[in-house]
Amino acid sequence: MGKAKKEEEAVFLRKKITLLRAFSLLIGSMVGSGIFISPKGVLRNSGNVGVSLIVWFACGILSLFGALCYAELATRITKSGGHYIYVLETLGPLPSFLYLWAEYFAIRPANSAVISLAFGNYILEPFFAPCAAPLPAVKLVALLGYYIVLILNSWSVSWSARLQNVLSVIKLLALALIIVPGMMLLAQGHTENFQDAFSSQSLALDKLPLAFYAGMFAYSGWFQTSFVQEELVRPERNNPLAVIVSVVTVIVGYMLTNVSYYTVLTAEDVLASQAVAVSFAQKAFQRLISVIPILVALSCFGTMNGGIFTFSRTLFVASREGQWPPLFSMIHIRRHTPLPAVMLMFPLVTAMVCIGDIYHLLNFFSFSRWLFIGLATLGLIIHRYRHPELPRPFKVPLFIPISFTIICLFAVGMSVYSDPVYISIGCAMVLSGFPVYFLMISRPIPDCCRTTFYYFTFKLQVLLEVVRQEIRTY
């Protein structure tokens, strides 16, 4: 009886994410700031409207390939943790730690800062139009939105998942308000902006990797369910189904959205705009000028929620695997949320929002992200070869992971030529993890240091509990 009671009271991540919540998490993570920021980046680095639309479609197909690879990985490796756990299980501890290092110091804080800044821009747009919103105000609102999402993810798994369901509907509504007017104008014969769509005068082939970075940023939520694999209900069925339906839905939505943009706006309008959706509303329907920015801001809020919801699980799994401090494997005993892991990103995102710029941050973290995603799908090929005996409830044709891996690694290599400064900084962040791994991870930590760390961890937990009790009493 005593043993059964202890097992019943054990603290672990509960299976609370159903198929609908998984679909909402993916839609909420993919549809957000990207589709309202990336069109300018894709057009600038592709050179003309025709090539930019090809890049958008190619990024969608590439995302579908990646999602299918991750769906198979999730059925073979049934742990939460996403890229980290897949690299760890297939390629070993050193590449997985380097990913974790880059994720903590570069990828996740820069990505969250980009989305937060987009949220701040769009939430303030109706109040300052036609002028640009003051940069300090944008950064302040961006941080406020991020802190609200932090608190929500620290409070309840169920509430953050329910909010994701609502915000997913709002995201689709925002896209509908762009797609429907654009398609109506296109049906009326407004095709003048598609004349000379493939003009070679402004074609920029050397910048195409950066165009793919911008496009893939808009699709980049397709892997989010892999971070919460242990919390999925019936993951062998729900994970593949959720990723396939959600990615195909987003491909169709993004293509229609971009066609709508170019039906109303010229290429010069898109390149000159700081908020493409607002410029679209100003030209298409004046009545939507105040509505669209608010819906876009809520879309960014949903993307922030999905990102924090999944990243905290990565740190939880990494600490459980012994590659991150044990503090971050702790779960709130009543709320079942990984509170320390959620709060870890607070200082880094704050710093990047304060000093960063959207497009520079985007190039900075994209190198590391797509390097390790390519390595994860390379790991799938290796894992198939090493473990042919493992059950595979879901399997993709071999050409899919091979194609995806080659394209990712090729784009990563070419981006060094396209933007050497910021890509080099991202590369340096990855390489800086090598000495940390060999000094702190590969060799055992002395018992005295381990005991001291555990002591201060315990004291910190006690202090946090006292503060929580004082707040409740107040």
Side-chain angles (χ1 to χ4, degrees):
M1 285 290 291
K3 184 178 180 181
K5 185 175 181 180
K6 285 183 180 179
E7 290 179 355
E8 183 178 325
E9 293 177 351
V11 179
F12 54 89
L13 295 172
R14 308 296 197 219
K15 289 185 177 292
K16 293 185 176 182
I17 302 177
T18 62
L19 176 60
L20 176 61
R21 288 181 177 179
F23 177 76
S24 299
L25 175 63
L26 289 168
I27 292 291
S29 299
M30 282 189 284
V31 181
S33 58
I35 187 59
F36 308 111
I37 295 175
S38 294
K40 181 176 179 178
V42 172
L43 180 60
R44 175 194 293 169
N45 293 301
S46 60
N48 58 53
V49 172
V51 175
S52 71
L53 291 176
I54 292 175
V55 168
W56 275 103
F57 183 73
C59 288
I61 298 301
L62 189 61
S63 298
L64 181 60
F65 279 13
L68 292 172
C69 294
Y70 269 53
E72 179 178 339
L73 279 167
T75 59
R76 298 171 68 91
I77 304 171
T78 58
K79 294 180 181 179
S80 296
H83 319 304
Y84 167 76
I85 201 67
Y86 298 154
V87 174
L88 175 65
E89 294 289 333
T90 59
L91 300 180
L94 175 57
S96 65
F97 177 78
L98 292 178
Y99 163 74
L100 190 67
W101 183 262
E103 177 79 358
Y104 172 60
F105 286 106
I107 301 172
R108 186 59 61 172
N111 183 66
S112 298
V114 167
I115 299 168
S116 300
L117 289 169
F119 170 81
N121 271 316
Y122 275 101
I123 204 72
L124 292 177
E125 189 69 23
F127 301 101
F128 290 92
C131 300
L135 187 58
V138 170
K139 292 180 181 290
L140 182 62
V141 173
L143 289 175
L144 180 62
Y146 185 78
Y147 296 158
I148 292 173
V149 175
L150 272 182
I151 293 170
L152 179 66
N153 278 269
S154 302
W155 185 261
S156 170
V157 172
S158 297
W159 276 106
S160 59
R162 289 170 187 166
L163 176 64
Q164 201 67 30
N165 293 343
V166 176
L167 292 176
S168 296
V169 176
I170 292 175
K171 292 167 185 283
L172 296 178
L173 177 61
L175 288 186
L177 287 177
I178 295 173
I179 292 172
V180 173
M183 292 299 103
M184 289 173 59
L185 291 173
L186 186 65
Q188 294 171 8
H190 292 273
T191 60
E192 57 274 7
N193 292 340
F194 294 98
Q195 303 296 326
D196 295 326
F198 290 92
S199 173
S200 60
Q201 294 181 352
S202 56
L203 190 62
L205 293 178
D206 60 323
K207 297 291 185 181
L208 273 182
L210 301 182
F212 271 89
Y213 276 171
M216 293 300 289
F217 170 70
Y219 286 100
S220 61
W222 51 261
F223 43 72
Q224 295 291 13
T225 52
S226 62
F227 289 90
V228 293
Q229 181 71 11
E230 294 174 49
E231 298 172 77
L232 284 172
V233 177
R234 296 182 63 191
E236 70 283 350
R237 168 186 176 270
N238 290 344
N239 194 19
L241 187 58
V243 297
I244 292 172
V245 174
S246 60
V247 172
V248 171
T249 301
V250 172
I251 290 174
V252 174
Y254 279 8
M255 292 305 299
L256 292 176
T257 301
N258 278 281
V259 171
S260 297
Y261 280 148
Y262 291 122
T263 300
V264 175
L265 303 172
T266 65
E268 291 74 18
D269 292 335
V270 173
L271 292 174
S273 175
Q274 296 299 320
V276 179
V278 176
S279 299
F280 174 89
Q282 289 174 340
K283 281 203 169 185
F285 289 99
Q286 292 289 332
R287 295 177 182 178
L288 297 179
I289 292 178
S290 61
V291 176
I292 286 183
I294 300 299
L295 293 178
V296 172
L298 290 175
S299 299
C300 298
F301 191 85
T303 307
M304 283 191 286
N305 182 61
I308 296 174
F309 183 79
T310 54
F311 175 65
S312 60
R313 274 66 181 170
T314 303
L315 296 183
F316 168 76
V317 173
S319 59
R320 189 175 62 185
E321 298 291 336
Q323 290 195 333
W324 208 249
L327 171 64
F328 302 102
S329 65
M330 297 180 181
I331 301 176
H332 196 285
I333 195 168
R334 289 189 300 275
R335 306 191 187 281
H336 306 125
T337 56
L339 179 61
V342 169
M343 297 306 297
L344 178 62
M345 294 305 298
F346 173 84
L348 286 173
V349 175
T350 300
M352 289 198 177
V353 168
C354 291
I355 66 176
D357 167 80
I358 287 180
Y359 293 103
H360 290 163
L361 289 172
L362 180 61
N363 288 340
F364 165 67
F365 76 81
S366 292
F367 169 85
S368 304
R369 165 175 278 180
W370 295 107
L371 170 64
F372 286 104
I373 289 177
L375 290 178
T377 52
L378 174 63
L380 170 61
I381 301 170
I382 296 173
H383 201 260
R384 276 190 181 185
Y385 176 77
R386 289 178 178 172
H387 303 282
E389 77 285 354
L390 289 179
R392 290 176 288 189
F394 180 78
K395 181 182 178 181
V396 296
L398 186 60
F399 83 91
I400 290 181
I402 291 176
S403 302
F404 183 82
T405 301
I406 291 173
I407 293 172
C408 279
L409 297 182
F410 177 77
V412 165
M414 287 297 296
S415 66
V416 177
Y417 170 76
S418 302
D419 189 0
V421 175
Y422 289 98
I423 300 302
S424 297
I425 296 174
C427 181
M429 291 299 299
V430 175
L431 296 177
S432 66
F434 274 98
V436 178
Y437 175 81
F438 288 111
L439 291 175
M440 303 295 295
I441 304 300
S442 62
R443 62 175 62 184
I445 300 175
D447 291 338
C448 60
C449 297
R450 189 186 303 273
T451 302
T452 302
F453 181 80
Y454 286 171
Y455 172 78
F456 283 110
T457 296
F458 173 75
K459 289 295 185 181
L460 179 60
Q461 287 291 93
V462 172
L463 178 62
L464 290 174
E465 184 65 21
V466 170
V467 171
R468 188 187 65 82
Q469 292 291 349
E470 290 292 332
I471 293 174
R472 174 176 287 186
T473 303
Y474 177 77

